[in-house]
C-alpha cells in the first residue's frame, strides 16, 4: 500500500500542494483504478543527464578556473611589454559572470558573413604590411607603414623598385618578382619545409603563405628581415576571431591564444582557436553544428547549475515518473535543440549555454498535463491560470541581459507540441467529434462534381445538387427549355 501512495498519478504532479489540486468527487472507482494502474517509471534519464551536467561544470572549473563575478564588465589594467619594447598601460575589458564560473562559449556552427568579412578585411590590410626593424637592432615586428616609427625604425617592404624573391611558372623560368612582403622571420628563399619551388611556389600574397616548419641555415644574415629578432607574433583575442601581432606578455594578459609557430595572422584561424573542440573541416568554414545539443550539458557557472539541478530534480523527475525515460528524453532534447537553434538564428553573436529551452519545454508539459486531465481534477482553470502566470513571469525575467528569451519561447512551443503527442490523456465521457465549422471541410476537398470528394469521407450534403439534376432530367424528357 505504501508503494501505491508513491506512484505518480496523472494530474497530480509536484505542484499539486501549491495548487491545492485534487481529483473531482464525481470520478468513478473505475477511472481511479485506471489512473492507479498506469505505468510507474524510474527517472533514469533525469539522474543521468543531471550527473553529466555536474561533472562537465566541475571539470570546466578545474581546467579553466573562475571568471570575475558581477553584473557588468570588469576592467583589468596593467603594465605590459608591447611590440615597441616599452611598458604600456593596457586596459582589458572582461565580461563579468553573474553565475560564478567559466564564461566563454561561442556558437561556431556556420559561416557568418559579418565575422568573415571582418577577417577578410584584416587579411587585405595585412597584405600591405612590411617588416618594421628597429635601428638599435633590438628586434622587429610585422606592421603597417603608419605604425612603424621613421625615427626609431626602418620599414622594409618589397615593391617594383625593390622586389623580393622571384616566382617561377616552371622550373628554370622566372616570370615575376614579389611585391607582397617582406615578412619578419619568414622568406620563401629561406624555408626548406614547405619549400617554395615549382609547382608549389608560394604566391605573391603573404596572406596565403604557409607556416615555415623548417628554415634554411646559413645565409639568413644577409637579409635584414630574417636576421632581426622577432618580438611579435599572432595573438587571437575575443570570441569573434580577432587577431593582433603582439608580444606573448600582452597576449597572456588579455587571455588570448599566442601562436609561437606563426608569423602572420593569416596563418592561423582565431575563430577555430576560440571554438575549440573538433577542428573545422575547413579553416574558413565552421561546421560545429553539434553545439546545438552539446550546449545542453554546459552551464555558465555554479548558480546556473544549481537552478538546473533543482528544476530537474523536482519537476523533470516528477514528469519522467509518469511518461518514462524515452518520452522525457525526446521532449528534453528536442526542446533544447530547438531553443538553441532559434537563439543561434536570432542572436548569432551572443554566446549561450545551458538547457533553458529544455526546461521551458518541461514547463509546457505541466500545462499540457492539466489540459489532458481536465475532466478528473478539481478547478482545472485555476491550475492552468497559475501555471500560465508562472510561465509569463519567467518570460519577463528573460528580458534581462543575461537570459536568452528566444531559447525560452521556442523551447516552450516545441515542448508544448511534443507534450500533446506524448503525454497520456484521460477522459471520462465518450469522445464525440463535432465539427462546428461547416465550411472547414472544404479546406481538404472542394466538391466540383457529385462524387468528386467521395473518397474523402466528408459529410457533405448534395440534396440541392441532386434536386437540380433531377429537374434538368425531367425538362429534357418533356422537351422543355432548361
Amino acid at each position: 500500500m505504501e508503494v501505491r501512495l508513491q506512484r505518480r498519478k496523472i494530474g497530480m504532479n509536484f505542484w499539486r500542494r501549491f495548487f491545492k489540486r485534487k481529483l473531482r468527487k464525481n470520478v468513478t472507482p473505475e477511472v481511479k483504478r485506471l489512473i492507479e494502474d498506469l505505468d510507474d517509471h524510474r527517472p533514469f534519464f533525469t539522474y543521468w543527464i543531471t550527473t553529466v551536467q555536474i561533472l562537465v561544470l566541475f571539470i570546466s572549473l578545474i581546467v579553466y578556473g573562475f571568471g570575475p563575478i558581477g553584473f557588468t564588465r570588469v576592467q583589468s589594467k596593467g603594465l605590459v611589454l608591447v611590440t615597441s619594447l616599452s611598458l604600456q598601460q593596457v586596459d582589458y575589458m572582461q565580461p563579468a559572470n553573474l553565475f560564478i564560473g567559466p564564461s566563454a562559449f561561442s556558437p561556431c556552427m556556420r559561416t557568418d558573413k559579418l565575422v568573415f568579412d571582418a577577417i577578410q578585411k584584416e587579411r587585405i590590410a595585412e597584405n600591405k604590411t612590411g617588416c618594421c626593424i628597429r635601428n638599435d637592432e633590438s628586434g622587429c615586428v610585422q606592421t603597417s607603414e603608419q605604425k612603424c616609427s621613421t625615427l626609431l625604425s626602418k620599414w622594409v617592404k618589397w615593391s617594383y623598385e625593390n622586389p623580393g624573391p622571384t616566382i617561377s611558372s616552371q622550373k628554370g623560368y622566372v616570370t615575376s618578382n614579389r611585391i607582397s612582403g617582406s615578412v619578419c622571420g619568414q622568406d620563401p628563399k629561406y624555408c626548406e619545409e614547405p619549400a617554395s619551388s615549382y609547382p608549389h611556389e608560394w604566391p605573391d600574397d603573404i596572406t596565403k603563405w604557409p607556416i615555415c616548419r623548417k628554415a634554411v641555415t646559413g645565409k639568413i644574415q644577409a637579409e635584414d628581415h630574417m636576421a632581426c629578432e622577432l618580438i611579435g607574433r599572432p595573438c587571437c583575442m575575443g570570441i569573434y576571431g580577432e587577431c593582433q601581432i603582439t608580444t606573448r606578455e600582452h597576449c597572456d594578459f588579455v587571455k588570448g591564444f599566442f601562436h609561437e609557430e606563426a608569423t602572420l595572422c593569416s596563418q592561423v584561424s582565431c575563430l577555430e582557436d576560440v571554438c575549440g573542440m573538433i577542428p573545422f573541416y575547413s579553416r574558413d568554414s565552421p561546421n560545429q553544428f553539434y553545439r546545438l545539443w552539446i550546449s545542453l550539458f554546459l552551464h555558465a557557472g555554479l548558480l546556473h547549475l544549481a537552478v538546473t539541478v533543482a528544476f530537474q530534480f523536482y519537476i523533470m523527475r516528477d514528469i519522467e515518473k509518469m511518461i518514462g525515460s524515452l518520452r522525457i528524453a525526446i521532449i528534453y532534447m528536442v526542446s533544447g535543440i530547438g531553443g538553441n537553434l532559434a537563439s543561434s538564428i536570432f542572436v548569432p553573436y551572443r554566446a549561450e549555454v545551458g538547457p533553458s529551452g529544455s526546461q521551458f519545454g518541461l514547463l509546457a508539459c505541466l500545462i499540457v498535463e492539466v489540459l489532458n486531465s481536465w475532466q478528473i481534477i478539481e478547478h482545472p482553470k485555476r491550475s492552468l491560470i497559475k501555471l500560465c502566470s508562472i510561465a509569463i513571469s519567467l518570460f519577463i525575467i528573460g528580458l534581462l541581459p543575461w537570459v536568452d528569451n528566444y531559447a525560452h519561447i521556442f523551447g516552450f512551443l516545441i515542448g508544448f507540441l511534443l507534450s500533446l503527442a506524448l503525454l497520456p490523456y484521460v477522459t471520462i465521457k465518450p469522445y464525440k467529434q463535432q465539427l462546428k465549422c461547416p465550411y472547414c471541410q472544404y479546406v481538404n476537398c472542394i466538391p466540383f462534381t457529385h462524387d468528386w470528394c467521395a473518397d474523402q469521407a466528408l459529410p457533405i450534403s448534395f440534396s440541392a445538387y441532386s434536386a437540380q439534376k433531377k429537374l434538368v432530367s425531367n425538362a429534357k424528357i418533356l422537351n422543355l427549355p432548361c
Side-chain angles (χ1 to χ4, degrees), residues 20-314:
K20 298 180 180 180
R21 188 183 301 171
K22 56 184 179 180
L23 296 177
R24 293 177 184 265
K25 296 180 180 180
N26 60 348
V27 176
T28 62
E30 291 77 9
V31 175
K32 290 183 179 180
R33 190 180 309 110
L34 176 63
I35 297 174
E36 290 286 346
D37 292 338
L38 290 175
D39 293 336
D40 187 36
H41 304 273
R42 295 293 179 265
F44 294 120
F45 180 77
T46 301
Y47 293 148
W48 172 78
I49 197 168
T50 304
T51 303
V52 173
Q53 290 168 342
I54 294 174
L55 291 176
V56 168
L57 178 65
F58 279 94
I59 292 174
S60 301
L61 289 173
I62 294 173
V63 175
Y64 300 106
F66 287 85
I69 302 172
F71 294 90
T72 59
R73 290 178 174 268
V74 177
Q75 185 179 20
S76 301
K77 297 182 179 180
L79 292 175
V80 178
L81 180 67
V82 294
T83 53
S84 61
L85 297 181
S86 61
L87 293 176
Q88 291 186 3
Q89 182 77 22
V90 176
D91 296 339
Y92 170 59
M93 300 296 296
Q94 183 178 4
N97 188 1
L98 171 66
F99 299 105
I100 313 175
S103 57
F105 173 79
S106 176
C108 310
M109 299 173 288
R110 59 184 177 88
T111 301
D112 186 270
K113 186 177 184 302
L114 293 179
V115 172
F116 278 86
D117 283 350
I119 295 176
Q120 189 63 27
K121 289 180 180 179
E122 290 183 355
R123 292 178 180 176
I124 294 174
E126 187 178 54
N127 193 31
K128 301 177 182 179
T129 61
C131 185
C132 183
I133 306 173
R134 294 181 64 87
N135 296 330
D136 58 359
E137 299 182 354
S138 57
C140 57
V141 64
Q142 190 75 15
T143 185
S144 62
E145 185 177 8
Q146 293 78 11
K147 295 181 180 180
C148 184
S149 174
T150 56
L151 297 177
L152 303 177
S153 310
K154 69 174 181 178
W155 191 61
V156 179
K157 177 72 170 69
W158 295 333
S159 62
Y160 290 106
E161 294 77 16
N162 183 28
T166 58
I167 304 176
S168 302
S169 60
Q170 53 182 319
K171 190 173 183 180
Y173 293 91
V174 178
T175 58
S176 62
N177 293 320
R178 300 179 185 274
I179 60 173
S180 179
S182 61
V183 176
C184 298
Q186 187 170 2
D187 193 301
K189 293 192 304 182
Y190 304 108
C191 184
E192 288 187 358
E193 187 180 349
S196 177
S197 58
Y198 179 82
H200 303 291
E201 286 274 3
W202 293 10
D204 189 20
D205 184 350
I206 61 175
T207 62
K208 298 180 181 179
W209 283 10
I211 296 176
C212 183
R213 295 187 294 271
K214 183 179 180 181
V216 176
T217 58
K219 298 182 179 180
I220 294 181
Q221 300 296 331
E223 303 286 348
D224 292 339
H225 66 280
M226 294 296 296
C228 62
E229 180 183 358
L230 193 59
I231 58 178
R233 292 185 181 272
C235 175
C236 298
M237 307 175 183
I239 63 173
Y240 302 117
E242 302 97 328
C243 182
Q244 180 180 344
I245 302 294
T246 186
T247 61
R248 175 181 285 277
E249 184 178 349
H250 182 205
C251 189
D252 293 340
F253 179 77
V254 298
K255 296 179 174 56
F257 296 87
F258 190 76
H259 289 270
E260 187 71 39
E261 78 286 355
T263 56
L264 298 168
C265 283
S266 56
Q267 295 175 339
V268 299
S269 176
C270 289
L271 190 60
E272 189 172 358
D273 289 338
V274 173
C275 294
M277 305 183 75
I278 301 176
F280 298 158
Y281 179 77
S282 175
R283 189 181 71 168
D284 294 336
S285 300
N287 58 346
Q288 297 180 350
F289 56 88
Y290 48 82
R291 289 178 176 270
L292 287 175
W293 62 84
I294 287 182
S295 60
L296 301 179
F297 299 89
L298 304 177
H299 290 80
L302 294 176
L303 182 57
H304 192 190
L305 178 66
V307 173
T308 296
V309 171
F311 185 91
Q312 293 178 177
F313 185 80
Y314 290 106

